[in-house]
Amino acid sequence: MAISRFPLLNTLWCRIISVSMRFKILGLALGLILLLGLALTVQMRLIQEDTLRKELQRHGIALTRDLAARAAEFILLDDLYSLHNLLQDTQTHNSNVRYVFILDSRGMPLVYSFAQGFPQGMREANTVAPTDRYHIQRLETNEGVVWDIAAPILAGEGGVARIGVSETGLQATLALTTRQFLITTALIAFLGMAVASILTWMITRPISQLVEATKAVAAGQFDTRVTPWADDEIGTLTAAFNLMTAELAKAAREREERDQLRGLLLDKIITAQEEERRRIARELHDDTGQALTAIKMGLSNAIAMCGPCRERGRLDQLHNLTGRTLSSVRQLALELRPPVLDDLGLVAAIRRYIADWGRTVEIAISFESFGLDNIRFDPAVETAVYRIVQEALTNVARHANAQHVGVVLERRGTECVAIVEDDGQGFDKAAAKNKRHLGLQGMEERAKLVQGRLMIETTPGSGTTIFVRVPLQGAAKISLREPVLP
Ligand SMILES: Nc1ncnc2c1ncn2[C@@H]1O[C@H](COP(=O)(O)OP(=O)(O)OP(=O)(O)O)[C@@H](O)[C@H]1O
Ligand SMILES: [Mg+2]
């Protein structure tokens, strides 16, 4: 629109349309009342001015003609005294008459009402032909407009009668009526504003309530409802709004229930998985490990009894193979569920894991722990943090291409914080989320299950930091001293 070419107008327009609806309606009502009142006042003033002016002129003409008729006799008799009285009489009985005078047949002033002498130029200001009944002339004087009326006496033979009627009274009447109209307009505007205020309050209140309720819904309060005021359009809107919030509340409840169920299932799955790992690790250690140890010892005895016999080479081979298998089974049992996690707790288990990790992966690793030594937590918390650190380190080994990785475990107030920071290639979080990877997601889920939070700070090329914060309910100090681990 062309308005955009005028920035000032544009700004003004933006200001006007951004005021509240209440003020828009009030402004509209006030503007309309004032416009109507002013238009009526101006129109009334024009009509009244025209009517009063015509009346003034008609009265002035009648007076002048009457003066001319009555003065004729005194002029014929040359009775200046009576003429003078006649002039005085005319002026005193008509408040609009500003001056009155009679010119003789040569146009010279015969009698006049001017106290300061006959004004210059007054004679020529208005003239009348002897054949005319009168002639009226508008004069602009320092006292305002004066209508000068001239009427010939005895068809001009006796001279000319002149009367000046002033508009001062007319203007005073007009000013009075205009003032009254303006006062009436102001009163109507005041009343109109009062009525408009009540109406806008009635109209905008349900809208304001809807706006407030919408904000509450946007903030997640789906139980918000608005009481309908009337059965009109806004009432229909309110009913639709209430229906919508009811549906939203239902959907939110269902989602919450689903989330709860999912959490429970996840909890069960993870607990079952840990239990299963623990059981398999125990079986491997207690059954398979024991059996292999027995076989190894049997083989050792056989070798000792055999001495440098024919089967010696074969027995040595079997003995070595059994030893290697025993180590693998122990390692597997350890990885599945390190007994140190159950026996000595989180810090010891992570220290042990890091020591193993550092032996198998060619990345420098450092570990520090603060305020957590000799403290045991809820087994669920210990398992969750252990598995998260384990997955984070597995990711560093698989994807980071890092030179160094640091692991910190510390107690901050009522929280346990674990940090795994590498100086590798980093990654795009959004892109990683879109792929079907389970590691990061599993870390997040595990943290959530123990009311914790996982944060990942990374950008391609700038390393990765994983933060986990878990509340430490049920932390208990233990008197066990951590043994020195290999
Ligand atoms: N420390 C890291 N440095 C660089 N990239 C990483 C790091 N950790 C994760 N990523 C990236 O994020 C992706 C997702 O990791 P996530 O652990 O979820 O899956 P994954 O390791 O690929 O597979 P898995 O489901 O077996 O864990 C990885 O494929 C890798 O590209
Ligand atoms: Mg992974």
Side-chain angles (χ1 to χ4, degrees):
M1 202 180 138
I3 201 168
S4 59
R5 273 191 249 138
F6 305 100
L8 208 69
L9 271 182
N10 208 4
T11 319
L12 193 70
W13 177 245
C14 288
R15 286 257 166 92
I16 290 173
I17 57 171
S18 57
V19 297
S20 76
M21 199 145 130
R22 191 181 168 81
F23 284 108
K24 270 188 210 133
I25 296 176
L26 286 179
L28 205 69
L30 184 67
L32 274 177
I33 294 171
L34 288 182
L35 203 71
L36 203 71
L38 288 177
L40 273 176
T41 308
V42 170
Q43 205 175 6
M44 172 285 306
R45 197 185 152 96
L46 287 175
I47 294 170
Q48 198 189 23
E49 189 174 23
D50 190 51
T51 314
L52 287 177
R53 184 168 288 135
K54 277 185 185 145
E55 179 59 28
L56 183 75
Q57 289 173 349
R58 208 175 46 76
H59 181 63
I61 290 164
L63 264 181
T64 317
R65 293 194 64 204
D66 180 58
L67 176 69
R70 287 166 65 188
E73 184 190 346
F74 300 127
I75 289 171
L76 286 176
L77 293 172
D78 210 11
D79 184 353
L80 285 182
Y81 177 73
S82 298
L83 266 181
H84 194 76
N85 281 345
L86 184 60
L87 253 59
Q88 255 190 348
D89 200 34
T90 306
Q91 195 168 21
T92 33
H93 286 102
N94 297 283
S95 57
N96 292 330
V97 173
R98 174 68 188 81
Y99 58 83
V100 48
F101 61 89
I102 291 174
L103 299 176
D104 64 13
S105 54
R106 286 169 295 125
M108 296 308 287
L110 201 59
V111 279
Y112 50 82
S113 63
F114 300 110
Q116 311 290 328
F118 196 81
Q120 230 184 351
M122 186 51 103
R123 280 191 307 141
E124 304 81 23
N126 189 12
T127 51
V128 62
T131 47
D132 286 346
R133 293 193 307 164
Y134 65 90
H135 184 258
I136 186 160
Q137 178 68 43
R138 178 191 162 96
L139 301 181
E140 295 284 350
T141 74
N142 54 358
E143 291 173 21
V145 173
V146 170
W147 293 96
D148 188 291
I149 305 147
I153 303 169
L154 298 171
E157 296 289 326
V160 175
R162 297 259 301 270
I163 288 182
V165 283
S166 165
E167 277 198 357
T168 316
L170 176 152
Q171 293 301 342
T173 311
L174 273 181
L176 186 71
T177 335
T178 308
R179 197 161 49 241
Q180 278 171 353
F181 256 76
L182 287 178
I183 290 170
T184 311
T185 305
L187 279 175
I188 291 174
F190 181 73
L191 274 176
M193 290 305 286
V195 173
S197 290
I198 295 169
L199 280 177
T200 43
W201 178 76
M202 282 168 70
I203 294 169
T204 56
R205 204 190 135 144
I207 295 176
S208 311
Q209 280 181 339
L210 275 173
V211 170
E212 289 306 315
T214 312
K215 282 185 192 160
V217 170
Q221 295 165 22
F222 299 127
D223 54 347
T224 311
R225 300 285 179 276
V226 181
T227 319
W229 270 54
D231 203 11
D232 56 4
E233 290 86 342
I234 296 175
T236 315
L237 183 65
T238 309
F241 177 86
N242 287 340
L243 200 69
M244 182 192 78
T245 50
E247 285 299 319
L248 280 175
K250 196 172 141 206
R253 260 197 315 277
E254 282 172 4
R255 199 178 53 234
E256 212 171 297
E257 277 167 18
R258 262 201 314 275
D259 280 355
Q260 263 176 10
L261 196 67
R262 188 171 152 274
L264 276 175
L265 277 174
L266 214 61
D267 193 16
K268 271 201 170 6
I269 290 169
I270 287 176
T271 315
Q273 188 193 38
E274 288 299 330
E275 273 306 312
E276 193 60 9
R277 282 180 172 187
R278 197 180 279 127
R279 195 182 63 78
I280 297 172
R282 209 169 29 238
E283 297 245 316
L284 281 175
H285 182 268
D286 295 353
D287 289 356
T288 322
Q290 297 302 330
L292 283 171
T293 310
I295 295 169
K296 198 178 162 204
M297 279 168 67
L299 284 170
S300 295
N301 288 342
I303 289 168
M305 283 192 313
C306 168
C309 65
R310 202 158 50 89
E311 301 300 322
R312 176 66 188 254
R314 182 85 184 123
L315 283 173
D316 280 344
Q317 252 183 7
L318 282 174
H319 182 262
N320 289 343
L321 180 65
T322 314
R324 282 202 304 277
T325 312
L326 188 61
S327 303
S328 301
V329 165
R330 277 193 180 138
Q331 186 58 34
L332 189 62
L334 270 179
E335 276 172 19
L336 276 171
R337 176 80 195 181
V340 67
L341 182 60
D342 295 320
D343 300 342
L344 297 177
L346 186 61
V347 177
I350 287 186
R351 185 164 286 143
R352 173 71 175 265
Y353 181 77
I354 284 172
D356 286 350
W357 192 88
R359 274 195 290 273
T360 50
V361 180
E362 284 183 5
I363 299 174
I365 185 161
S366 60
F367 173 63
E368 283 178 290
S369 81
F370 304 99
L372 289 169
D373 290 335
N374 300 335
I375 296 179
R376 294 302 305 261
F377 313 114
D378 189 301
V381 171
E382 291 191 332
T383 308
V385 177
Y386 180 81
R387 294 291 181 210
I388 289 170
V389 172
Q390 198 179 25
E391 173 60 23
L393 285 174
T394 308
N395 276 352
V396 173
R398 283 174 64 191
H399 312 293
N401 207 8
Q403 301 294 315
H404 178 262
V405 56
V407 180
V408 177
L409 212 57
E410 72 176 294
R411 183 181 187 153
R412 285 190 197 164
T414 54
E415 284 182 330
C416 168
V417 178
I419 305 167
V420 179
E421 185 173 21
D422 69 64
D423 58 357
Q425 61 194 9
F427 63 102
D428 180 358
K429 273 195 287 182
K433 266 196 182 162
N434 291 338
K435 291 187 199 157
R436 290 186 166 266
H437 301 284
L438 296 178
L440 297 179
Q441 223 171 310
M443 284 156 85
E444 224 171 287
E445 297 291 355
R446 279 189 186 270
K448 256 196 241 165
L449 281 177
V450 287
Q451 282 76 51
R453 236 158 35 99
L454 182 100
M455 283 167 289
I456 303 171
E457 270 182 17
T458 182
T459 40
S462 66
T464 305
T465 310
I466 309 274
F467 290 94
V468 201
R469 314 171 76 99
V470 180
L472 285 180
Q473 300 107 331
K477 197 141 185 109
I478 53 162
S479 51
L480 251 176
R481 292 202 48 216
E482 203 180 306
V484 179
L485 292 162

